[in-house]
């Protein structure tokens, strides 16, 4: 199953890529990541595509710390709704627990385990993938981002007790010590950040309990991310269709696979790309045509029809009436039930 991540994780990629002599658009084309996702932070993209981009960028530039450079520029805003709810918790401990619970909404292949004893709290990161472990740059970017978020709750003067990384030491260990501000152990059993148990009781001055409660209710409503191929294709189709650029090839880019792979998995699930596209078109078209000032030709283009007449035929076949009749209030029983 393809894991997805919000494209907000790439917000600073162009800046970092250029700083080490790379052309960001050229690199993204190499790994077949859609360039449009740079302007739309909530766009779901395949984790495998992001990982290839990071590894290839580090290799091409010679910047061994490429993942850390991305983490260094990021913060709570990169995590969207998850970042907002973390920021509004009363204590650092509650913020870390909320981050651990809700992180799959941002990155459905990432898990954080928080374990405590009397003196130490360990935040362990797990990144799901086909390999036994995730590539190094992905680990650096993800764990570095976790560190930056915890640090933002305390202030820039805070440092963890230790940081553990499972991979072998890099050529420049000093860079890692400077980034984390503490001892960094390589060839460890897991990728984790250790902090004092006392730190968890630290109050967050900017926290607002009412906002935190409101955000928690909103985010709990979307806590379950799409799990099946059908659900993930449906999610991407809905987003791309709203932007007026939805084809099976574009969906395949976001899921880092081929169109044949999409067709095969959907057939196994008893559906098809056309069926999903048709359902999403039907949902969106009734919203669009309710605006009398929106030209039907523009709606046809957004929904991917070759011409206004093609959309008109599809609409009549799907809803049992013309668009003009629908705008005048006609609602056939079959359309209403659908």
């Amino acid at each position: 199953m393809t894991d997805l991540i919000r494209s907000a994780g790439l917000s600073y990629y162009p800046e970092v890529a250029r700083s080490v002599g790379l052309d960001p658009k050229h690199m993204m084309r190499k790994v077949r990541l859609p360039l449009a996702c740079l302007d739309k932070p909530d766009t779901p993209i395949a984790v495998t595509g992001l990982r290839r981009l990071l590894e290839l960028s580090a290799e091409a530039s010679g910047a061994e710390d490429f993942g850390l450079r991305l983490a260094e520029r990021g913060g709570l805003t990169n995590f969207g709704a998850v970042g907002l709810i973390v920021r509004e918790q009363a204590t650092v401990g509650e913020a870390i627990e909320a981050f651990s619970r809700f992180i799959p909404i941002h990155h459905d292949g990432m898990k954080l385990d928080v374990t405590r004893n009397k003196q130490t709290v360990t935040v362990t990161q797990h990144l799901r993938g086909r390999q036994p472990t995730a590539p190094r740059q992905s680990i650096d970017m993800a764990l570095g981002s976790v560190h930056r978020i915890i640090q933002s709750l305390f202030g820039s003067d805070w440092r963890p007790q230790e940081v553990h990384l499972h991979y072998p030491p890099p050529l420049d260990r000093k860079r890692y010590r400077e980034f984390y501000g503490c001892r960094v152990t390589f060839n460890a059993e897991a990728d984790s950040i250790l902090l004092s148990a006392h730190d968890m009781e630290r109050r967050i001055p900017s926290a607002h309990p009412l906002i935190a409660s409101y955000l928690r209710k909103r985010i709990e409503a979307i806590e379950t991310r799409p799990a099946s191929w059908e659900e993930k294709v449906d999610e991407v189709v809905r987003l791309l269709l709203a932007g007026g650029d939805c084809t099976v090839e574009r969906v395949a880019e976001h899921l880092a696979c081929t169109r044949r792979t999409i067709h095969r998995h959907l057939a196994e699930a008893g559906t098809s790309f056309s069926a999903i596209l048709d359902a999403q078109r039907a949902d969106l078209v009734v919203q669009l045509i309710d605006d009398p000032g929106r030209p039907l030709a523009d709606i046809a283009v957004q929904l991917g029809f070759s011409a206004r007449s093609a959309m008109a035929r599809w609409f009549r076949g799907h809803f049992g009436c013309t668009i003009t009749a629908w705008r005048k209030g006609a609602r056939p029983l079959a359309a209403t039930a659908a």
Side-chain angles (χ1 to χ4, degrees), residues 109-160:
M110 181 174 174
K111 179 184 176 185
L112 291 176
D113 286 333
V114 181
T115 56
R116 304 187 186 208
N117 59 35
K118 290 183 179 180
Q119 296 182 328
T120 306
V121 174
T122 303
V123 181
T124 302
Q125 170 186 276
H126 305 279
L127 296 178
R128 186 168 56 200
R130 295 177 183 175
Q131 298 174 321
T133 56
R136 175 173 160 180
Q137 300 301 326
S138 296
I139 293 169
D140 282 354
M141 177 183 170
L143 194 67
S145 297
V146 173
H147 165 73
R148 290 282 291 170
I149 285 172
I150 297 175
Q151 190 175 55
S152 72
L153 301 174
F154 285 100
S156 58
D157 60 335
W158 175 83
R159 299 290 184 272

Side-chain angles (χ1 to χ4, degrees), residues 281-289 299 303 311 314-315 319:
R281 275 175 169 170
D283 186 54
L284 184 56
V285 72
V286 295
Q287 300 175 46
L288 297 177
I289 65 174
I299 296 176
L303 296 180
M311 181 180 73
W314 168 84
F315 189 94
F319 291 100

Side-chain angles (χ1 to χ4, degrees), residues 281-331:
R281 275 175 169 170
D283 186 54
L284 184 56
V285 72
V286 295
Q287 300 175 46
L288 297 177
I289 65 174
D290 277 343
D291 178 4
R294 189 186 293 265
L296 293 181
D298 291 351
I299 296 176
V301 170
Q302 178 171 347
L303 296 180
F305 290 102
S306 58
R308 172 180 167 178
S309 57
M311 181 180 73
R313 288 193 298 272
W314 168 84
F315 189 94
R316 187 181 187 101
H318 193 90
F319 291 100
C321 67
T322 65
I323 294 175
T324 301
W326 183 280
R327 279 179 162 175
K328 290 180 178 179
R331 297 292 189 274

Side-chain angles (χ1 to χ4, degrees), residues 7 10 25 28 33-43 45 239-240 243 245 250 253-254:
S7 59
L10 285 175
K25 292 184 178 180
M28 289 182 67
L33 276 175
L35 298 178
C37 72
L38 292 174
D39 301 318
K40 299 175 181 178
D42 285 322
T43 304
I45 58 174
L239 186 141
L240 294 181
D245 185 19
R250 294 279 287 113
E253 279 187 353
H254 283 258

Side-chain angles (χ1 to χ4, degrees), residues 1-5 31-34 37 43-50 52 108 130 225-238 240 247-263 265-266 273 276:
M1 179 60 63
T2 297
D3 287 323
L4 300 178
I5 182 173
V31 299
R32 299 182 62 192
L33 276 175
C37 72
T43 304
I45 58 174
V47 171
T48 52
L50 175 61
R52 287 199 303 270
D108 60 13
R130 295 177 183 175
R225 284 297 308 269
S228 67
W229 271 92
E230 181 180 357
E231 291 170 327
K232 291 193 175 186
V233 170
D234 187 75
E235 179 186 28
V236 176
V237 166
R238 182 169 62 253
L240 294 181
T247 63
V248 67
E249 289 81 10
R250 294 279 287 113
V251 173
E253 279 187 353
H254 283 258
L255 298 180
C257 64
T258 66
R259 56 183 295 171
R260 291 181 62 185
T261 300
I262 290 176
H263 290 314
H265 282 294
L266 293 181
F273 180 80
I276 291 175

